[in-house]
Amino acid sequence: MYENKLWKTKYFFYGAWDCQEAFRIAILEPFSLKKDDDSKLKSFKDSVPYIEEALKVYFTEVDKQWKLFDTEKAWEPINLDETQLPKESYQSKFTWVLKRFFSHLFLPLILQCLYTIFITRHSCLLIRISHLGFVLLMYIYFFQNIRGASMKMEHKMQYLSTITNEQETGADGWNQVARRMNMYLFRQKVWKNEEFFFDGIDCQRFFERNFVGLLSSKRVTYSGVTIC
């Protein structure tokens, strides 16, 4: 990027994780979600063969890491009987969401709102409200993606491994996965408490939102459901 004068310094990526995330967001997900060759050619044009080759190398390495991970990082026996899900501690999911939102984003949100009010102080009321609404929407969008962004590759692999190794099916199975992952992510200091997932439904929706689209091109089975 620097040699081709596309970036002012030699430090376009902060580290390997940033590079991987850029690859996932800019290439892996958009390309994988295209259903046929025509749509791929329309979106990526002459880059299609290069992207296909890059994805082939990428998935080969992922498969290699997955096999290594799945054999060497088995779960230790854990008693989950006394482990509660947030849904068992909070009156409603709305209360849980509010607590997480304000604990993670309250100060930045307040500062941003004050800054927005300051720079629009001479504007009409409609413009000021529109700016504040835009700020809130941006923070809501960021908040919805904060969990996935906080997980490194090894955490995501542990998540998938927990799903595939869960013996229970249906709602009970997803509740067990949520309990295990809440404990695991807290111990790994990914999350500051054991409340990463609200319940099994939240855990399942997280999987569907972040993984199903990428896995739909392969035959994948989870909790008794097969994705083709």
Side-chain angles (χ1 to χ4, degrees), residues 17-163:
W17 174 245
D18 283 341
C19 183
Q20 183 184 42
E21 281 298 287
F23 176 77
R24 179 181 66 83
I25 294 171
I27 297 177
L28 175 60
E29 291 183 355
F31 193 83
S32 299
L33 293 175
K34 299 298 180 183
K35 300 300 182 182
D36 52 61
D37 293 338
D38 290 338
S39 60
K40 291 178 181 178
L41 285 171
K42 184 178 180 180
S43 299
F44 297 95
K45 299 181 174 57
D46 296 337
S47 301
V48 170
Y50 302 102
I51 294 175
E52 289 178 339
E53 184 64 26
L55 291 179
K56 182 179 179 181
V57 174
Y58 175 82
F59 281 117
T60 299
E61 186 62 27
V62 168
D63 288 340
K64 185 190 303 182
Q65 291 185 20
W66 169 257
K67 291 176 182 177
L68 183 66
F69 180 90
D70 204 33
T71 54
E72 293 186 355
K73 291 194 174 182
W75 269 101
E76 298 178 1
I78 297 176
N79 183 10
L80 297 177
D81 294 338
E82 298 181 358
T83 304
Q84 285 190 327
L85 289 169
K87 74 171 183 178
E88 299 167 342
S89 305
Y90 291 84
Q91 293 182 346
S92 67
K93 188 173 182 179
F94 180 71
T95 307
W96 173 72
V97 169
L98 280 181
K99 178 188 174 183
R100 290 199 311 150
F101 184 84
F102 285 108
S103 63
H104 284 86
L105 301 175
F106 180 71
L107 182 58
L109 176 60
I110 291 298
L111 292 176
Q112 185 64 53
C113 286
L114 290 175
Y115 175 72
T116 302
I117 292 172
F118 175 76
I119 63 174
T120 60
R121 64 188 184 280
H122 298 304
S123 303
C124 67
L125 182 61
L126 180 60
I127 293 178
R128 297 176 71 181
I129 293 175
S130 299
H131 275 77
L132 286 173
F134 176 75
V135 169
L136 288 173
L137 288 175
M138 290 297 296
Y139 270 84
I140 290 172
Y141 174 79
F142 174 75
F143 179 69
Q144 289 178 336
N145 292 277
I146 194 173
R147 288 192 298 182
S150 66
M151 297 172 69
K152 296 181 180 179
M153 180 61 72
E154 63 181 276
H155 305 138
K156 293 177 180 179
M157 284 190 169
Q158 181 64 71
Y159 176 59
L160 294 175
S161 177
T162 304
I163 293 173

Side-chain angles (χ1 to χ4, degrees), residues 8-9 14 20 25 39 61 122 129 168 173 196 203 213 218:
K8 294 181 179 180
T9 69
Y14 180 77
Q20 183 184 42
I25 294 171
S39 60
E61 186 62 27
H122 298 304
I129 293 175
E168 296 284 345
F196 191 85
C203 184
K218 299 181 179 181

